[in-house]
Amino acid sequence: MGERVVPEPDRRRRRPTKQGTVLSAEAIVATALRLIGQHGSEALTVRRLGAALGSDPSSIYRYFRNTDDLLLAIADELISRAQQGWRATGDWQADLREIGRRIHHAYQRHPRTAILAAYRTTGRAHEIRAVEVILGVLRRGGFPDAEAVRIYHAFVDQALAFAALDAAASALPSAARQADEDVWHRTYARLPAESHPHIAATAPLLVAEMRVSGYPAALELLLEAAAARLERPRGTAG
């Protein structure tokens, strides 16, 4: 893709494309999300986007410098979707818990896109708002600035790491996904206590637990650890 982005007032298309779409950055991002969901990362090309939008592929240049610029916009859209409808309650733990769940849910709805986007830093409006909101929750909750930043970092990285991990698993072909789940029954549940006493003792629990995402439990552990740090006397090392 080229490197020239046309300013917003000059890039509005007066007539719909052949597909009936009024071309805009938002329409391009929405179409890219759909194509990646259907075909994976290989769908993120100017040719495919142009065909899906019913426009000349070069028209994408008017909105995005290159495919990486578009990918950052897509990542920012996922962040936006995770924030939609969220309202602060004043309870920092409840607020962070809900934000984390929303992040995870938004990314699981678009697993193939999540794999591409979860590790990117966009520096765009929706990401900036999310950073401001989460830091605000922590600072209003009583955390000193250094602690607020540390917990923000751990919280966001945990949410995005699990989002990418669970998205990658759900994006597997169904046969491969089922085969992975069956390993816990076929292999781990049958290991003898003589050689693997800890696995054998916990096998039923292990089989049940490993079929679901570990994110809810990991999130609770993080929130409990953060609460313990908040209750710790100021000046205590840790």
Side-chain angles (χ1 to χ4, degrees):
M1 294 178 73
E3 292 295 328
R4 179 176 178 271
V5 176
V6 177
E8 177 67 28
D10 299 329
R11 68 191 186 194
R12 297 187 182 279
R13 183 186 177 99
R14 298 190 180 200
R15 292 176 298 174
T17 67
K18 295 175 183 179
Q19 306 296 341
T21 301
V22 177
L23 205 61
S24 66
E26 293 77 14
I28 294 169
V29 167
T31 300
L33 270 170
R34 176 172 59 81
L35 290 177
I36 294 171
Q38 293 171 345
H39 306 293
S41 60
E42 62 270 21
L44 198 62
T45 68
V46 175
R47 182 183 61 80
R48 283 201 174 190
L49 279 170
L53 289 161
S55 67
D56 189 293
S58 65
S59 63
I60 310 298
Y61 299 166
R62 298 170 65 87
Y63 299 86
F64 301 100
R65 291 187 298 274
N66 47 47
T67 50
D68 195 62
D69 192 31
L70 174 57
L71 179 56
L72 292 176
I74 293 168
D76 208 52
E77 175 62 19
L78 286 187
I79 296 169
S80 171
R81 295 185 182 196
Q83 296 179 78
Q84 289 174 2
W86 180 85
R87 294 290 183 273
T89 68
D91 179 332
W92 71 266
Q93 290 189 71
D95 287 346
L96 286 187
R97 183 180 294 111
E98 182 62 16
I99 291 170
R101 288 173 176 172
R102 283 172 176 268
I103 292 171
H104 192 262
H105 178 70
Y107 280 70
Q108 297 322 293
R109 292 189 65 183
H110 301 277
R112 289 181 168 182
T113 304
I115 295 168
L116 298 175
Y119 61 93
R120 301 304 302 272
T121 303
T122 76
R124 302 187 181 206
H126 300 305
E127 181 185 81
I128 290 170
R129 178 178 180 271
V131 175
E132 177 70 11
V133 164
I134 296 168
L135 285 172
V137 167
L138 289 163
R139 295 181 77 233
R140 286 191 296 271
F143 290 94
D145 287 353
E147 281 290 275
V149 169
R150 177 184 289 184
I151 294 167
Y152 160 81
H153 188 185
F155 171 79
V156 169
D157 278 10
Q158 181 194 66
L160 293 176
F162 270 100
L165 175 66
D166 292 343
S170 64
L172 285 171
S174 57
R177 188 165 62 249
Q178 187 61 51
D180 281 3
E181 292 180 359
D182 288 347
V183 168
W184 296 100
H185 290 281
R186 294 196 316 268
T187 301
Y188 286 92
R190 297 178 180 179
L191 290 172
E194 293 76 16
S195 57
H196 300 85
H198 304 301
I199 293 177
T202 60
L205 298 171
L206 191 62
V207 168
E209 181 66 26
M210 298 307 294
R211 295 180 65 86
V212 299
S213 172
Y215 180 59
L219 176 58
E220 291 305 315
L221 289 172
L222 186 147
L223 293 175
E224 290 170 8
R229 296 181 73 86
L230 185 62
E231 295 167 3
R232 189 182 60 197
R234 296 288 174 87
T236 304

